[in-house]
Amino acid sequence: MTRSTRSPLPRARHEHLLREIELRGSVRAARVAEELGVSEVTVRRDIVELDRAGRLVRVHGGAIALAEAREPRAARALVGVVVPSASAHFPLVVRGMEAVAAPLRARLVLGVSHYRADAEERQVERLLSLGAQGLVVAPTTRDRSDADVAAWLAGLPVPTVLLERRTERTAALASVDSARTDHVHGAVLAVEHLARLGHDAVALASYDRTPTAPSVRDGYRAAVADLGLRAAPTVSLPKGEDDPEALDAALEGLLELCRCDGTRAVLVHTDDHASRLVEAALDRGLRVPEDLAVVAYDDENAELAAVPLTAVGSPRRELGQEALRMVVERIAEDASAPRPPRHVQLLPRLTVRRSCGARP
């Protein structure tokens, strides 16, 4: 009897895939193709068919087993999420991811870098060792150039979505999927709002040690130019937690500049800094908003200020949802025909409270 040299029939390939899944829990399309002597494209098509039939779960580069045949919503992909902070902005972003993880058949594992590049890279390595098939990362930009971040991301072996970081300044970063808030537009919203209230000048005070600050400055400059507002004070603020006296001095300096300049409106990044500015103004005997209108950039604690702050806030939950959808879609796509990179920007919201003088 002559042994056939023909490729296995589809049924035989399917049986082989399911047997490997049962034994190992997962398979790589490239390895199965080599074992069976067929093309990787053929194996990926088989995986697609078995996924549609509910026999396994297709993931980037191969397939994994269903927890049970009766559980059609078993996790399709393990997604690692690395953010720089467990407070303020990012927890709500992660909550947004959690809200859509089950419908997307994804399981999340979270790592926090504490704004340290070395910790961030260790967190990513840990997630990859756990089997993460995709990553959502908000890289720390302290002591690292965009080129350094781009080179590191390029070396990651799984699909990655860049979270809340600008990509247009570096060609290499532009090749990575990203989801972020359009902070330039957010600053424009704030300045336009104050101009509509009759202010012919708007000062800017920003905490510049954040990735958001450059976009806020860009939006502020664009709005001032487009609206034809006169020049007003612009200052950089210290963090304040490490040196409260330095922040108090900077805020007093800003108030004095505004008094001398006749500026009666200010955009302040962040809302914590804006809250401190309101307190400093009240201590000077100024009324907010009658003598000084304030809009905060960030809406995390703005409502709790001595005078509740009108604030621009990111759509954090929606941002997390969009980022997770993007990485899950990238994990599931055909590796031989990848889509071009996607850059998604969500528009922030302006919430009117008492500090600007408009009716909430």
Side-chain angles (χ1 to χ4, degrees), residues 117-240:
D118 59 338
E120 184 173 88
E121 293 177 9
R122 285 198 302 272
Q123 290 284 17
V124 166
E125 289 171 5
R126 179 179 64 85
L127 291 167
L128 292 174
S129 71
L130 291 173
Q133 297 148 286
L135 296 166
V136 178
V137 183
T140 181
T141 55
R142 293 179 185 174
D143 305 318
R144 254 199 317 191
S145 67
D146 288 346
D148 291 336
V149 174
W152 173 58
L153 292 174
L156 298 179
V158 298
T160 303
V161 171
L162 197 63
L163 183 66
E164 282 288 56
R165 296 295 182 263
R166 295 178 74 166
T167 57
E168 67 271 17
R169 294 177 295 186
T170 303
L173 279 181
S175 67
V176 181
D177 288 340
S178 69
R180 65 184 176 97
T181 306
D182 187 348
H183 294 298
V184 171
H185 177 75
V188 171
L189 275 180
V191 176
E192 287 183 343
H193 175 71
L194 290 167
R196 281 196 300 270
L197 295 175
H199 294 283
D200 65 345
V202 177
L204 173 68
S206 65
Y207 173 49
D208 287 332
R209 291 190 63 194
T210 71
T212 302
S215 296
V216 172
R217 285 188 174 274
D218 288 348
Y220 168 82
R221 284 191 291 262
V224 167
D226 289 345
L227 295 168
L229 303 182
R230 65 178 176 84
T234 61
V235 300
S236 178
L237 299 176
K239 185 175 184 179

Side-chain angles (χ1 to χ4, degrees), residues 1-9 12 36-37:
M1 181 175 179
T2 302
R3 183 177 178 180
S4 173
T5 59
R6 292 181 300 173
S7 299
L9 295 173
L36 297 180

Side-chain angles (χ1 to χ4, degrees), residues 65-320:
L66 287 167
E68 295 180 15
R70 294 186 302 250
E71 294 184 10
R73 306 312 297 175
R76 176 186 294 273
L78 179 66
V79 176
V81 181
V82 181
V83 295
S85 172
S87 61
H89 181 84
F90 287 101
L92 281 178
V93 177
V94 175
R95 294 289 178 268
M97 295 184 197
E98 290 177 333
V100 295
L104 292 173
R105 297 165 69 181
R107 185 168 79 85
L108 305 179
V109 181
L110 178 66
V112 179
S113 70
H114 303 289
Y115 291 97
R116 290 173 44 202
D118 59 338
E120 184 173 88
E121 293 177 9
R122 285 198 302 272
Q123 290 284 17
V124 166
E125 289 171 5
R126 179 179 64 85
L127 291 167
L128 292 174
S129 71
L130 291 173
Q133 297 148 286
L135 296 166
V136 178
V137 183
T140 181
T141 55
R142 293 179 185 174
D143 305 318
R144 254 199 317 191
S145 67
D146 288 346
D148 291 336
V149 174
W152 173 58
L153 292 174
L156 298 179
V158 298
T160 303
V161 171
L162 197 63
L163 183 66
E164 282 288 56
R165 296 295 182 263
R166 295 178 74 166
T167 57
E168 67 271 17
R169 294 177 295 186
T170 303
L173 279 181
S175 67
V176 181
D177 288 340
S178 69
R180 65 184 176 97
T181 306
D182 187 348
H183 294 298
V184 171
H185 177 75
V188 171
L189 275 180
V191 176
E192 287 183 343
H193 175 71
L194 290 167
R196 281 196 300 270
L197 295 175
H199 294 283
D200 65 345
V202 177
L204 173 68
S206 65
Y207 173 49
D208 287 332
R209 291 190 63 194
T210 71
T212 302
S215 296
V216 172
R217 285 188 174 274
D218 288 348
Y220 168 82
R221 284 191 291 262
V224 167
D226 289 345
L227 295 168
L229 303 182
R230 65 178 176 84
T234 61
V235 300
S236 178
L237 299 176
K239 185 175 184 179
E241 293 179 5
D242 304 326
D243 191 350
E245 290 79 12
L247 178 57
D248 289 342
L251 295 174
E252 284 293 335
L254 171 62
L255 290 172
E256 184 61 20
L257 287 173
C258 289
R259 184 190 69 79
C260 295
D261 185 66
T263 297
R264 298 177 55 250
V266 59
L267 168 62
V268 187
H269 168 63
T270 64
D271 58 354
D272 287 338
H273 291 80
S275 179
R276 293 284 294 275
L277 177 66
V278 168
E279 292 168 4
L282 295 176
D283 289 344
R284 267 193 167 214
L286 298 174
R287 298 168 301 163
V288 177
E290 292 84 356
D291 300 320
L292 184 71
V294 179
V295 173
Y297 200 97
D298 279 346
D299 193 0
E300 293 163 7
N301 302 303
E303 193 172 11
L304 304 179
V307 178
L309 292 164
T310 294
V312 176
S314 300
R316 294 186 284 273
R317 289 181 181 273
E318 294 89 341
L319 186 69

